[in-house]
Amino acid sequence: MKKNMKHISMCIAAVGVIALASCGGSSETKTADAAATAAPAGPVIAIDASGWAATDLSTLSTMIPVSMNLPKDAKMEKNGNGGVDIRLNEAYTITVSNIAVGSVKEAMDSDKTLNVNNKTSYKDGKVITEEANGYVYQMQMNDEANGTKYEPEAHFFFYLEKDGAVYSISDNRPMDNGFLPGSTYAVDNATKLYESVKATAKLK
Protein backbone atom coordinates (compact mmCIF):
# COMPACT_ATOMS: atom_id res chain seq x y z
CA MET A 1 0.00 0.00 0.00
CA LYS A 2 2.82 2.36 0.94
CA LYS A 3 4.54 1.53 -2.31
CA ASN A 4 1.36 2.42 -4.27
CA MET A 5 0.93 5.69 -2.37
CA LYS A 6 4.53 6.65 -3.14
CA HIS A 7 3.94 5.90 -6.83
CA ILE A 8 0.76 8.04 -6.84
CA SER A 9 2.60 10.93 -5.13
CA MET A 10 5.34 10.82 -7.75
CA CYS A 11 2.76 10.90 -10.52
CA ILE A 12 1.00 13.92 -8.99
CA ALA A 13 4.34 15.74 -8.66
CA ALA A 14 5.18 15.01 -12.29
CA VAL A 15 1.80 16.31 -13.43
CA GLY A 16 2.37 19.48 -11.38
CA VAL A 17 5.72 20.09 -13.02
CA ILE A 18 4.21 19.64 -16.48
CA ALA A 19 1.37 22.02 -15.61
CA LEU A 20 3.76 24.68 -14.36
CA ALA A 21 5.91 24.37 -17.46
CA SER A 22 2.91 24.69 -19.75
CA CYS A 23 1.39 27.63 -17.86
CA GLY A 24 4.36 29.72 -16.79
CA GLY A 25 7.02 28.64 -19.24
CA SER A 26 10.72 29.18 -18.84
CA SER A 27 12.40 32.59 -18.73
CA GLU A 28 14.15 31.71 -22.00
CA THR A 29 10.80 31.09 -23.69
CA LYS A 30 9.44 34.41 -22.39
CA THR A 31 12.54 36.21 -23.66
CA ALA A 32 12.16 34.62 -27.09
CA ASP A 33 8.47 35.55 -27.19
CA ALA A 34 9.28 39.16 -26.24
CA ALA A 35 11.93 39.36 -28.94
CA ALA A 36 9.48 38.03 -31.51
CA THR A 37 6.94 40.72 -30.67
CA ALA A 38 9.46 43.59 -30.42
CA ALA A 39 9.21 46.51 -32.83
CA PRO A 40 10.96 45.78 -36.13
CA ALA A 41 14.41 47.30 -36.67
CA GLY A 42 15.14 49.77 -39.42
CA PRO A 43 15.90 48.62 -42.95
CA VAL A 44 19.28 47.00 -43.46
CA ILE A 45 21.30 49.44 -45.55
CA ALA A 46 24.51 47.98 -46.96
CA ILE A 47 27.26 50.45 -47.81
CA ASP A 48 29.64 48.95 -50.37
CA ALA A 49 31.71 51.56 -52.20
CA SER A 50 33.80 49.06 -54.16
CA GLY A 51 31.83 49.62 -57.38
CA TRP A 52 31.55 53.40 -57.13
CA ALA A 53 33.12 55.62 -59.79
CA ALA A 54 34.74 59.07 -59.79
CA THR A 55 32.09 61.76 -60.36
CA ASP A 56 32.74 65.43 -61.14
CA LEU A 57 30.29 67.54 -59.13
CA SER A 58 31.29 70.79 -60.83
CA THR A 59 29.15 69.75 -63.81
CA LEU A 60 26.14 70.38 -61.52
CA SER A 61 27.46 73.41 -59.64
CA THR A 62 30.49 75.54 -60.47
CA MET A 63 30.67 76.37 -56.75
CA ILE A 64 31.62 72.75 -56.01
CA PRO A 65 34.90 71.89 -57.82
CA VAL A 66 34.93 68.47 -56.15
CA SER A 67 35.33 64.98 -57.57
CA MET A 68 34.52 61.89 -55.51
CA ASN A 69 33.49 58.28 -55.95
CA LEU A 70 29.71 57.73 -56.03
CA PRO A 71 27.27 55.01 -57.08
CA LYS A 72 26.57 55.10 -60.81
CA ASP A 73 22.82 55.36 -60.15
CA ALA A 74 23.08 58.12 -57.51
CA LYS A 75 20.56 60.94 -58.01
CA MET A 76 22.26 64.35 -57.88
CA GLU A 77 20.97 67.90 -57.93
CA LYS A 78 22.14 71.42 -57.20
CA ASN A 79 20.58 72.73 -53.99
CA GLY A 80 19.46 76.25 -53.13
CA ASN A 81 22.79 77.12 -51.49
CA GLY A 82 24.85 76.31 -54.57
CA GLY A 83 25.94 72.97 -53.16
CA VAL A 84 25.16 69.48 -54.43
CA ASP A 85 22.80 66.94 -52.84
CA ILE A 86 23.48 63.30 -53.71
CA ARG A 87 20.78 60.71 -52.98
CA LEU A 88 22.58 57.39 -52.43
CA ASN A 89 19.55 55.29 -51.43
CA GLU A 90 16.37 55.50 -49.36
CA ALA A 91 18.27 56.36 -46.19
CA TYR A 92 21.24 58.49 -47.19
CA THR A 93 21.83 61.84 -48.84
CA ILE A 94 25.34 63.27 -49.06
CA THR A 95 25.57 67.06 -49.23
CA VAL A 96 28.64 68.87 -50.54
CA SER A 97 28.83 72.59 -49.70
CA ASN A 98 31.13 75.57 -50.07
CA ILE A 99 31.04 77.05 -46.57
CA ALA A 100 31.96 80.54 -45.37
CA VAL A 101 34.60 79.80 -42.72
CA GLY A 102 38.26 80.64 -42.32
CA SER A 103 39.59 77.13 -41.78
CA VAL A 104 38.71 73.43 -41.54
CA LYS A 105 39.04 73.61 -37.75
CA GLU A 106 36.53 76.46 -37.61
CA ALA A 107 34.13 74.47 -39.79
CA MET A 108 34.48 71.37 -37.63
CA ASP A 109 33.98 73.26 -34.37
CA SER A 110 30.90 74.94 -35.82
CA ASP A 111 29.36 71.67 -37.03
CA LYS A 112 29.97 70.01 -33.67
CA THR A 113 27.85 72.67 -31.98
CA LEU A 114 24.96 71.47 -34.15
CA ASN A 115 25.30 67.75 -33.43
CA VAL A 116 27.75 66.29 -30.88
CA ASN A 117 27.67 69.30 -28.55
CA ASN A 118 24.04 70.25 -29.15
CA LYS A 119 22.36 69.57 -25.79
CA THR A 120 19.14 71.31 -26.80
CA SER A 121 18.11 68.81 -29.47
CA TYR A 122 20.29 65.77 -28.75
CA LYS A 123 21.77 63.70 -25.95
CA ASP A 124 24.69 61.30 -25.58
CA GLY A 125 26.60 62.96 -28.41
CA LYS A 126 30.06 61.51 -28.91
CA VAL A 127 32.83 61.46 -31.50
CA ILE A 128 33.61 57.97 -32.81
CA THR A 129 36.54 58.92 -35.04
CA GLU A 130 38.23 62.30 -35.37
CA GLU A 131 40.99 63.41 -37.72
CA ALA A 132 42.30 66.77 -38.90
CA ASN A 133 39.89 66.81 -41.86
CA GLY A 134 36.78 65.12 -40.51
CA TYR A 135 34.96 63.07 -37.93
CA VAL A 136 32.39 60.31 -37.45
CA TYR A 137 29.95 60.92 -34.62
CA GLN A 138 26.90 59.47 -32.88
CA MET A 139 24.05 61.24 -31.11
CA GLN A 140 20.47 60.59 -30.02
CA MET A 141 17.49 62.90 -30.30
CA ASN A 142 16.02 63.96 -26.96
CA ASP A 143 12.89 62.20 -25.75
CA GLU A 144 9.63 63.93 -26.60
CA ALA A 145 7.26 65.27 -23.92
CA ASN A 146 4.65 62.75 -25.12
CA GLY A 147 7.00 59.85 -24.30
CA THR A 148 8.36 59.22 -27.79
CA LYS A 149 11.94 57.95 -27.63
CA TYR A 150 14.57 57.79 -30.36
CA GLU A 151 17.48 55.49 -31.12
CA PRO A 152 21.10 56.66 -31.47
CA GLU A 153 22.33 57.29 -35.01
CA ALA A 154 25.75 57.90 -36.56
CA HIS A 155 26.84 60.31 -39.33
CA PHE A 156 30.02 61.97 -40.60
CA PHE A 157 31.60 65.23 -41.77
CA PHE A 158 34.65 65.57 -44.03
CA TYR A 159 36.34 68.77 -45.21
CA LEU A 160 38.49 69.89 -48.11
CA GLU A 161 40.41 73.18 -48.24
CA LYS A 162 42.16 75.01 -51.09
CA ASP A 163 43.20 78.63 -51.60
CA GLY A 164 41.23 79.76 -48.55
CA ALA A 165 38.01 78.02 -49.61
CA VAL A 166 36.56 75.27 -47.40
CA TYR A 167 34.16 72.57 -48.60
CA SER A 168 32.19 70.23 -46.34
CA ILE A 169 30.90 66.78 -47.23
CA SER A 170 28.35 65.22 -44.88
CA ASP A 171 25.65 62.58 -44.81
CA ASN A 172 22.06 63.43 -43.93
CA ARG A 173 18.62 61.88 -43.79
CA PRO A 174 16.68 62.54 -46.99
CA MET A 175 13.76 64.91 -46.32
CA ASP A 176 11.19 62.15 -46.90
CA ASN A 177 12.47 59.50 -44.48
CA GLY A 178 11.95 60.90 -41.00
CA PHE A 179 10.08 57.69 -40.16
CA LEU A 180 13.24 55.54 -40.28
CA PRO A 181 14.58 54.55 -36.83
CA GLY A 182 18.02 55.65 -35.69
CA SER A 183 19.31 52.07 -35.95
CA THR A 184 19.23 52.52 -39.74
CA TYR A 185 22.20 54.85 -39.33
CA ALA A 186 24.76 52.44 -37.89
CA VAL A 187 28.28 53.46 -36.91
CA ASP A 188 29.60 50.94 -39.43
CA ASN A 189 27.74 52.65 -42.28
CA ALA A 190 28.88 56.13 -41.27
CA THR A 191 32.47 54.88 -41.03
CA LYS A 192 32.37 53.24 -44.46
CA LEU A 193 30.97 56.39 -46.06
CA TYR A 194 33.56 58.54 -44.31
CA GLU A 195 36.43 56.29 -45.41
CA SER A 196 35.20 56.30 -49.03
CA VAL A 197 34.91 60.09 -49.08
CA LYS A 198 38.30 60.53 -47.39
CA ALA A 199 39.97 58.24 -49.92
CA THR A 200 38.38 59.63 -53.09
CA ALA A 201 37.23 63.25 -52.60
CA LYS A 202 39.50 65.69 -54.42
CA LEU A 203 39.42 69.36 -55.38
CA LYS A 204 39.96 70.22 -59.02
Side-chain angles (χ1 to χ4, degrees), residues 23-37:
C23 293
S26 69
S27 60
E28 290 182 0
T29 301
K30 289 181 179 179
T31 302
D33 289 343
T37 57

Side-chain angles (χ1 to χ4, degrees), residues 48-81:
D48 181 5
S50 59
W52 294 5
T55 305
D56 183 0
L57 302 182
S58 68
T59 60
L60 287 170
S61 174
T62 56
M63 291 181 62
I64 308 296
V66 175
S67 172
M68 58 190 289
N69 282 11
L70 294 171
K72 294 177 181 178
D73 60 350
K75 297 176 176 60
M76 299 179 289
E77 63 179 4
K78 181 179 178 179
N79 61 38
N81 297 317

Side-chain angles (χ1 to χ4, degrees), residues 9-26 29:
S9 297
M10 290 176 65
C11 289
I12 292 172
V15 169
V17 169
I18 293 171
L20 285 172
S22 62
C23 293
S26 69
T29 301

